[in-house]
């Protein structure tokens, strides 16, 4: 009887784990999630469970490297590339809160003091969330919001606590005010217990164009897919999305 109970308990545990993995596979996050500490993995599952409030961001140049190269990019993204020293593997966006968040891993290439990250590595992560939350949450009509529709012009960071090489933290950035095209953003880098490693207030200019021309690439908009729980740029076709999200 004891053996049967133990076997049933193990089967139930494996069933729970399979369900959790399937939930992460639905958003294409199974491999990335396995690299996260348990507390961040729990947060990701919480966001995934509220897919009408939290959308995984799918920017094609981060996910489809062959498309990225054919579309004019010359290398990997500084923050979202697979070999990045400061790596944000994915973001979730809450439209209601105008909040963008995701995990940040600090690799050996970010080292400064022995075993500790360079302050610029922390600031780079802050700069990234500042720009992308503006692209997603700014209120503009001509042109409408879309990928790379804006530019960061000011980043003020306060570095409060050293980050160790190999550490993974939570990055959150929120639009707090908009005056015409000026978008004010606050962000923070936090640990499991809510301890703040860095805080930022910054400014982006919504709608600023850094490239001339009006190609299809510059005209992309955001598509909110409530069925899949993702927000993706309009360059994706349904077959490409199904390949990335086979369980979606």
């Amino acid at each position: 009887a004891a053996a049967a109970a133990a076997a049933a308990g193990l089967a139930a545990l494996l069933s729970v784990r399979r369900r959790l993995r399937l939930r992460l596979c639905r958003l294409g996050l199974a491999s990335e999630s396995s690299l996260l500490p348990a507390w961040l993995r729990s947060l990701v599952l919480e966001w995934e469970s509220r897919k009408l409030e939290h959308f995984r961001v799918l920017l094609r140049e981060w996910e489809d490297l062959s498309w990225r190269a054919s579309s004019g990019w010359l290398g990997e993204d500084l923050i979202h590339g697979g070999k990045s020293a400061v790596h944000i593997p994915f973001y979730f966006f809450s439209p209601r809160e105008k909040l963008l968040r995701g995990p940040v891993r600090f690799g050996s290439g970010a080292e400064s003091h022995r075993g500790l990250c360079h302050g610029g590595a922390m600031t780079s992560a802050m700069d990234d969330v500042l720009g992308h939350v503006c692209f997603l949450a700014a209120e503009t009509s001509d042109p409408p919001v879309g990928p790379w529709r804006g530019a960061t012009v000011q980043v003020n960071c306060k570095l409060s606590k050293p980050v160790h090489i190999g550490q993974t933290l939570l990055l959150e950035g929120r639009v707090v005010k908009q005056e015409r095209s000026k978008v004010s953003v606050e962000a923070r880098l936090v640990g499991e217990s809510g301890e703040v490693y860095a805080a930022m207030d910054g400014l982006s200019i919504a709608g600023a164009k850094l490239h001339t021309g009006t190609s299809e690439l510059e005209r992309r908009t955001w598509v909110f897919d409530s069925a899949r729980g993702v927000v993706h740029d309009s360059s994706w076709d349904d077959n490409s999305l199904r390949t990335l999200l086979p369980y979606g």
Side-chain angles (χ1 to χ4, degrees):
L10 178 60
L13 177 61
L14 292 175
S15 177
V16 169
R17 287 179 175 175
R18 278 196 294 269
R19 287 199 299 272
L20 292 178
R21 183 171 178 81
L22 184 59
R23 286 171 59 188
L24 293 168
C25 284
R26 189 179 65 77
L27 290 175
L29 294 176
S31 60
E32 290 289 356
S33 180
S34 66
L35 302 175
L36 299 179
W39 67 276
L40 271 172
R41 199 157 50 242
S42 295
L43 278 178
V44 172
L45 287 167
E46 179 186 338
W47 303 335
E48 183 274 339
S49 70
R50 297 158 62 192
K51 64 179 181 180
L52 296 180
E53 300 176 43
H54 301 278
F55 294 80
R56 187 199 166 187
V57 180
L58 291 179
L59 194 55
R60 192 164 185 180
E61 51 267 41
W62 296 346
E63 309 290 342
D64 186 342
L65 296 186
S66 61
W67 183 89
R68 178 185 179 89
S70 67
S71 300
W73 274 270
L74 304 179
E76 287 196 356
D77 191 275
L78 175 67
I79 302 295
H80 299 273
K83 300 175 183 176
S84 301
V86 183
H87 183 49
I88 299 173
F90 53 85
Y91 275 133
F92 275 78
F93 176 59
S94 169
R96 180 179 61 82
E97 300 173 282
K98 296 188 175 182
L99 174 66
L100 186 64
R101 53 191 164 193
V104 191
R105 289 197 294 264
F106 293 89
S108 59
E111 192 170 33
S112 179
H113 290 273
R114 177 169 39 88
L116 301 176
C117 290
H118 195 289
M122 302 157 75
T123 305
S124 292
M126 294 291 196
D127 186 9
D128 191 79
V129 77
L130 166 57
H132 289 293
V133 75
C134 172
F135 305 153
L136 281 154
E139 296 176 2
T140 62
S141 57
D142 186 23
V145 292
W148 310 108
R149 298 265 175 80
T152 297
V153 294
Q154 187 172 327
V155 182
N156 302 320
C157 280
K158 179 182 178 181
L159 309 180
S160 304
K161 190 177 174 69
V163 175
H164 291 262
I165 294 298
Q167 198 166 2
T168 302
L169 299 171
L170 173 65
L171 177 64
E172 299 180 317
R174 184 194 307 266
V175 172
V176 294
K177 184 174 67 173
Q178 181 171 349
E179 296 178 349
R180 296 189 178 182
S181 62
K182 295 180 179 180
V183 180
S184 299
V185 174
E186 292 179 356
R188 60 184 196 148
L189 191 62
V190 299
E192 179 177 5
S193 302
E195 64 274 30
V196 177
Y197 286 76
M200 178 216 72
D201 62 86
L203 185 67
S204 275
I205 305 301
K209 292 184 65 174
L210 301 187
H211 289 277
T212 58
T214 55
S215 70
E216 193 66 32
L217 201 62
E218 275 73 47
R219 290 196 298 269
R220 287 184 296 169
T221 56
W222 295 113
V223 179
F224 283 84
D225 186 336
S226 297
R228 289 187 171 105
V230 302
V231 51
H232 61 83
D233 70 88
S234 55
S235 70
W236 288 92
D237 57 83
D238 202 55
N239 286 335
S240 298
L241 281 173
R242 278 202 298 267
T243 299
L244 183 67
L245 309 172
Y247 300 96

